[in-house]
């Protein structure tokens, strides 16, 4: 007794041949820019830290007018 296999379906003719271009470009860019964004996001905390000279202007310690400080 032989097993009957269904015939494979034909590929749709209306599929766009360039439909994979945009996702491929986005994946390639995110593989490069994603880790760079994480790196710079992690370094942004060091840009706002308080290790600096103690003779900074008093205006930096003052609150904005109307702010609840």
């Amino acid at each position: 007794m032989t097993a009957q296999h269904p015939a494979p379906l034909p590929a749709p003719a209306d599929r766009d041949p360039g439909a994979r271009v945009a996702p491929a470009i986005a994946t390639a860019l995110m593989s490069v820019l994603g880790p760079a964004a994480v790196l710079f996001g992690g370094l942004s905390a060091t840009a706002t830290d308080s290790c600096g000279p103690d003779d900074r202007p008093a205006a930096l310690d003052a609150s904005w007018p109307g702010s609840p400080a």
Side-chain angles (χ1 to χ4, degrees):
M1 185 165 172
T2 62
Q4 293 181 350
H5 298 289
L9 296 174
D14 59 345
R15 185 173 290 176
D16 186 12
R20 294 186 181 192
V21 173
I25 291 172
T27 301
L29 286 176
M30 281 305 297
S31 66
V32 174
L33 297 177
V38 171
L39 174 72
F40 290 128
L43 290 176
S44 67
T46 62
T48 59
D49 66 356
S50 63
C51 60
D54 290 333
D55 57 347
R56 64 182 183 266
L60 292 177
D61 293 329
S63 63
W64 286 94
S67 65

